[in-house]
Amino acid sequence: MRLLVVEDNKDLAAWLGKALRQAQYTIDIAYDGEDAEHLLKVAEYSAMILDLSLPKLDGLTLLKRLRQSGNKLPVIILTANASLDGRVAGLDSGADDYLAKPFEIAELEARIRAVVRRGQDRASSEITVGNLRFSGGTRQFFVADEPLQLTPREYAVLEQLVMKLGTTVSKAALSESVFGFDDEADPSAIEIYVHRLRKKLENSSVQIATLRGLGYLLRHVQ
């Protein structure tokens, strides 16, 4: 999943980025509301972590504009203002959840998983293809009930293929889910990650098929 963190405190933003990347998320960071608004127009995110006290364009205004445009992106507000009025203002502006500073990263991760699940079209938080199972609650893959060991970027590719199950996912879409704007993306990297995944899925009943000129498709094989 690719997340947008909007936080003007650069130390906190760096800490959040590092912690969430370790949790196998792809992260972009914006330090002001205008930059965040631009990123929201050029990239697709699974959720946004939004501070309210931002320079150039405050968080509530950014959120209101997002909702007025019809964008239903899940949004978690982070703020030092834990008052009832502050929470009500954020939720009334279209936020999905609210977390007061200071907070534990484990709680933020749990809230991210929850808002993303609620925002997904699939009703179930568990997806099964053959003997491959993805648990949306823990964000973990299993093959025949054994945990599948993946690197963060292998995980990002497989997660995208599972979430788009039944449709072909282009190489560009996979690259966008794996690399943030600050990452150096090798054009051949997705092919390498798909190759590694195929090796790790050799003993499973699923296959990553290449549809030439279109992209990749995860499917069950007998």
Side-chain angles (χ1 to χ4, degrees):
M1 294 182 192
R2 187 172 182 176
L3 307 178
L4 176 59
V5 174
V6 190
E7 170 60 63
D8 66 323
N9 183 319
K10 294 191 176 182
D11 289 338
L12 177 56
W15 175 76
L16 279 172
K18 181 178 180 181
L20 291 172
R21 288 184 184 101
Q22 289 175 343
Q24 299 184 324
Y25 292 100
T26 299
I27 303 298
D28 287 327
I29 296 175
Y31 301 110
D32 63 68
E34 288 185 358
D35 190 24
E37 191 169 47
H38 170 71
L39 291 176
L40 288 165
K41 291 177 181 177
V42 299
E44 183 177 342
Y45 297 99
S46 297
M48 176 166 62
I49 316 302
L50 176 65
D51 183 34
L52 293 183
S53 301
L54 298 171
K56 297 185 180 180
L57 182 67
D58 68 88
L60 281 182
T61 300
L62 173 64
L63 181 55
K64 289 175 182 177
R65 289 185 183 180
L66 184 74
R67 296 304 186 228
Q68 288 168 357
S69 71
N71 193 321
K72 298 180 180 180
L73 174 72
V75 175
I76 300 174
I77 286 178
L78 298 182
T79 183
N81 179 7
S83 69
L84 176 60
D85 288 345
R87 295 197 300 273
V88 169
L91 294 170
D92 281 349
S93 297
D96 297 272
D97 204 347
Y98 196 104
L99 191 57
K101 302 173 184 177
F103 57 87
E104 295 292 334
I105 192 66
E107 181 179 4
L108 176 59
E109 288 180 37
R111 289 173 182 265
I112 291 170
R113 292 193 296 269
V115 298
V116 170
R117 282 200 305 273
R118 291 199 297 266
Q120 289 166 353
D121 291 333
R122 299 179 188 277
S124 173
S125 63
E126 185 168 290
I127 301 172
T128 301
V129 193
N131 63 356
L132 175 69
R133 178 167 57 89
F134 173 67
S135 171
T138 61
R139 298 186 67 237
Q140 191 167 11
F141 284 98
F142 300 85
V143 171
D145 293 326
E146 292 293 324
L148 185 61
Q149 302 301 319
L150 302 171
T151 67
R153 285 179 174 169
E154 290 168 356
Y155 177 96
V157 170
L158 187 56
E159 182 182 49
Q160 185 76 349
L161 290 171
V162 164
M163 299 310 298
K164 302 290 186 181
L165 189 63
T167 62
T168 303
V169 185
S170 69
K171 188 183 294 186
L174 288 177
S175 182
E176 188 170 292
S177 70
V178 171
F179 298 107
F181 285 113
D182 292 334
D183 296 322
E184 293 185 11
D186 185 332
S188 64
I190 297 301
E191 295 175 12
I192 294 170
Y193 298 136
V194 168
H195 174 74
R196 291 176 182 172
L197 283 169
R198 284 172 172 156
K199 290 287 187 182
K200 293 185 176 183
L201 294 170
E202 280 180 340
N203 296 323
S204 75
S205 61
V206 298
Q207 178 186 73
I208 301 175
T210 300
L211 302 181
R212 194 169 300 279
L214 297 175
Y216 299 97
L217 176 69
L218 186 68
R219 63 189 181 189
H220 178 212
V221 291
Q222 301 295 330

